[in-house]
Every structure is written in C-alpha cells, then in structure tokens.
C-alpha cells in the first residue's frame, strides 16, 4: 500500500514503517534467501520452463507429459530436460504410472517461495 513507509534497515532487510499493516513472517529465517531459492528462480529464468510451469499452475492437476508436449509444442527431449530442471528445483513433481509420466506443481514449495517474495508487501 502507498500509506506504508518501506525502507532498508541497516542490515539490508526491507522494513516497514507501519508495523500494523506489515505482515512480517514469524521468524527472521523465513526472510533469508537460501540456495534452494536461487535454484528455483534459476529454473524459472527460461521462457520455455516458465511456460511449462504456468501451464501446470493453470491446470491445477496432474498433467501427462504428452499433454504438455501437445499444448506447448516443445520437442520431447527438450521438454524432458525442462521438466527435470523444474523438478530438481523443487517446483514440479513427477509421477510415473506404467508407461506414462504425470507432472504437477509442488504447491508447498511454490507457496514458500511466494511467501519469501511477499513477506512485507
């Protein structure tokens, strides 16, 4: 909001001038970036991976890799590479059922990442 005064504390943390409106996390550790956050942002820093991630978010369910392939027109080996990077970053879950692979968004991991970004907004 515009009526909040935000400033950088001398330790480099973003602080709010109006604490009643600022939703601070329960612990300072929640505001600290970790290597897993860097990996997650790095995984999303590619147009195709971002498109795959958004497709899975909009689907709100497990989606077969073939369905992702058809919807986004990404070649199979390239799609597999992107999905593996998203999985290693903790953003996507993969499940194999017989000959099919299904993917979905790892909601817990994504929620934690969003909380880190919006800790004081």
């Amino acid at each position: 909001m515009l009526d909040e005064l935000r400033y950088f504390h001398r330790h480099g943390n973003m602080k709010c001038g109006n604490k009643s409106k600022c939703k601070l996390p329960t612990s300072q550790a929640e505001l600290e970036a970790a290597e897993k956050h860097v990996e997650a942002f790095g995984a999303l820093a590619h147009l195709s991976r971002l498109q795959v991630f958004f497709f899975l978010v909009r689907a709100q369910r497990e989606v077969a890799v073939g369905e992702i392939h058809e919807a986004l027109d990404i070649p199979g080996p390239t799609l597999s590479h992107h999905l593996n990077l998203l999985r290693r970053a903790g953003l996507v879950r993969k499940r194999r059922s017989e000959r099919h692979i299904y993917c979905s968004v790892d909601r817990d991991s994504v929620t934690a990442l969003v909380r880190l970004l919006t800790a004081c907004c």
Side-chain angles (χ1 to χ4, degrees):
M1 293 223 160
L2 294 176
D3 58 345
E4 292 179 1
L5 176 63
R6 292 193 178 104
Y7 60 94
F8 278 99
H9 190 263
R10 63 184 168 163
H11 298 292
N13 298 351
M14 183 64 92
K15 298 288 183 177
C16 294
N18 187 346
K19 297 221 186 244
S20 65
K21 292 185 178 183
C22 183
K23 300 172 192 166
L24 291 174
T26 56
S27 72
Q28 188 67 19
E30 291 180 33
L31 276 179
E32 295 178 15
E35 191 63 36
K36 65 181 180 179
H37 301 126
V38 173
E39 191 172 352
F41 288 124
L44 292 173
H46 188 279
L47 180 59
S48 294
R49 286 192 292 273
L50 197 57
Q51 290 173 335
V52 169
F53 180 74
F54 286 158
F55 179 81
L56 291 171
V57 168
R58 283 190 296 270
Q60 297 182 350
R61 61 180 171 83
E62 281 189 333
V63 179
V65 172
E67 187 178 338
I68 300 170
H69 169 69
E70 288 176 13
L72 300 178
D73 197 30
I74 297 174
T78 305
L79 179 60
S80 178
H81 170 73
H82 290 318
L83 286 169
N84 280 329
L85 285 174
L86 290 168
R87 183 189 55 77
R88 284 195 310 250
L91 298 171
V92 169
R93 292 183 181 171
K94 289 173 76 174
R95 180 181 64 87
R96 181 180 293 273
S97 177
E98 297 178 10
R99 294 180 58 189
H100 301 281
I101 298 174
Y102 297 92
C103 296
S104 63
V105 171
D106 186 339
R107 300 243 179 241
D108 295 335
S109 181
V110 172
T111 299
L113 193 61
V114 169
R115 282 187 183 146
L116 175 72
L117 288 173
T118 60
C120 194
C121 293

